Amino acid sequence: MRARLPLLALLLAARAWGLDVQYEVAARSDVRTRTVQPGSLGSVTNEVELRPSAGLLLGTEDSRFGASYLPSLLFRDPFALGPVGLLHRGQLFFTQRWPRVSLRVDADGSWGTSDISALRPADTLPPGSVETPTLGLLPYVRLWSRAGVDWQVGRRVTLGVDGGYQVSGSPGDLSLPMQQGPFAALRLGWRPTERDTLTSTLQAAHADFVTGQAQTVLQGTQTWRRTFTARTGLSLSGGVAFTREDIPVIDLPRPPQPGLYREVLPVASVSVDHRASGVGTVDVLALARLGPFQDRFTGNVYERLEALGLARWRPVREVDLTGTLGGGWAVDIGRAEQLGDRIIYGDVLVAWTPEEWLLLQGNARLGWSAQPSYELPSGLQWLLGVAVTFRDAGPL
């Protein structure tokens, strides 16, 4: 009864202030078989992962505040009493809208033990970007926060600015060194026609590593977005990046070459998206981008080419089939410190929602990676898994 008193007091206060209160709860269970992982005990690795979550949303028509808790409990080789990883994760956000201005503040924190694998893309990466190393279960900390403002300057002009700070890595393990630093972005958008949008963007990010390395990346890009129809769009982007790396003498088996390095690197991307109708709907996305990649494992910054193809078919409202094919390659531009590093991957996901409160999923993943720059052999990894999710949401 005592545990319910703070929640009851919060609900009564929200009602008194005229706030809308919504809740979301879910319980997900994953069972997987995959290529043998670091520290595993057999010829393959079996896993059971439990992922409960709970969230609360308070707000009015113009203001929203949300909080959620999303832990993960991973049992690796459970029948052989293998290692257990517990990762806590919490998220907070606040939004406020005025007639021409909107504000958003986000915070995301994780701490505990995380599975670092090429087949489990990190949430620190942009969509379509996958890392090469697989390290297994490691102690992990991540604290990330950002505040941003978007301003409707005129009928066709928008201005956005945001900035934040991040801390992430594995305490005491130099295979994923701790890093921290600020980041910021400035965006100016203009719609010369109803179908065209031009966006000028300036970005800056800095990170200091526990190894003593420091990296700074400044980017300026110009993007053109063309909406041909309500179903088809094209985006083209180009620009330039300035990078600065300060690398001291580091006591590692294969340390990076010490020195102060400055480079100017190209930035380019193209993406096409389309929705087709027939038996259900099919959404297709093709993406390719070239630009500096900030490697959180080595602390290096190098030019990387990434490609992604994604197709999602929804034959009926309850069924989704998604296929993904992509890759990432370190290319011979600039210092090319990690030239030869590459990964190619594919993923198939089938999801069925027989009831609003029940989600069933099956997936298969395959990835081939190589990291010759650090004398690591190439390797093929695969994963097969099923997941069951029970969920509920509604007003309080």
Side-chain angles (χ1 to χ4, degrees), residues 14 27 31 35 41 48 50 82 149 178 220 245 254-256 270 274 307 383:
V31 178
T35 312
L41 306 175
V48 176
L50 306 178
V149 175
M178 291 292 299
E245 296 179 77
R254 183 177 167 79
V270 56
H274 177 69
L383 180 151

Side-chain angles (χ1 to χ4, degrees), residues 180-194:
Q180 61 178 320
F183 56 89
L186 176 65
R187 299 172 301 276
L188 178 63
W190 175 44
R191 296 185 61 194
T193 71
E194 292 300 320

Side-chain angles (χ1 to χ4, degrees), residues 198-396:
L198 297 173
T199 305
S200 303
T201 304
L202 293 175
Q203 295 174 284
H206 178 81
D208 291 308
F209 288 77
V210 70
T211 56
Q213 293 168 263
Q215 56 178 226
T216 302
V217 179
L218 306 176
Q219 293 189 65
T221 57
Q222 180 64 51
T223 302
W224 170 52
R225 168 71 178 176
R226 172 73 171 182
T227 304
F228 295 100
T229 68
R231 295 171 176 266
T232 306
L234 167 70
S235 293
L236 296 174
S237 180
V240 67
F242 170 79
T243 69
R244 181 184 186 275
E245 296 179 77
D246 189 358
I247 305 175
V249 177
I250 304 173
D251 185 16
L252 289 174
R254 183 177 167 79
Q257 186 68 31
L260 179 61
Y261 303 98
R262 298 180 180 89
E263 291 188 293
V264 176
L265 301 173
V267 179
S269 69
V270 56
S271 68
V272 179
D273 54 271
H274 177 69
R275 168 168 286 188
S277 298
V279 181
T281 60
V282 178
D283 293 293
V284 179
L285 169 67
L287 165 69
R289 60 177 172 235
L290 175 73
F293 183 76
Q294 296 169 264
D295 196 310
R296 63 178 183 150
F297 298 95
T298 65
N300 293 322
V301 179
Y302 54 91
E303 192 79 349
R304 193 179 203 234
L305 174 65
E306 296 177 333
L308 170 69
L310 184 148
R312 180 187 180 193
W313 179 35
R314 196 174 190 182
V316 294
R317 185 173 64 88
E318 299 83 5
V319 178
D320 277 293
L321 294 91
T322 303
T324 303
L325 181 65
W329 301 265
V331 296
D332 192 8
I333 298 177
R335 292 177 58 229
E337 180 70 12
Q338 293 184 215
L339 183 62
D341 288 10
R342 56 199 180 274
I343 181 170
I344 301 171
Y345 60 92
D347 184 284
V348 176
L349 172 67
V350 180
W352 177 36
T353 310
E355 302 290 344
E356 288 188 3
W357 51 269
L358 178 62
L359 172 63
L360 306 175
Q361 295 171 293
N363 72 302
R365 300 176 189 169
L366 188 67
W368 181 86
S369 63
Q371 201 171 17
S373 63
Y374 279 77
E375 299 179 351
L376 296 177
S378 60
L380 183 69
Q381 296 191 54
W382 55 265
L383 180 151
L384 298 173
V386 296
V388 179
T389 303
F390 300 95
R391 56 194 181 183
D392 189 29
L396 285 176

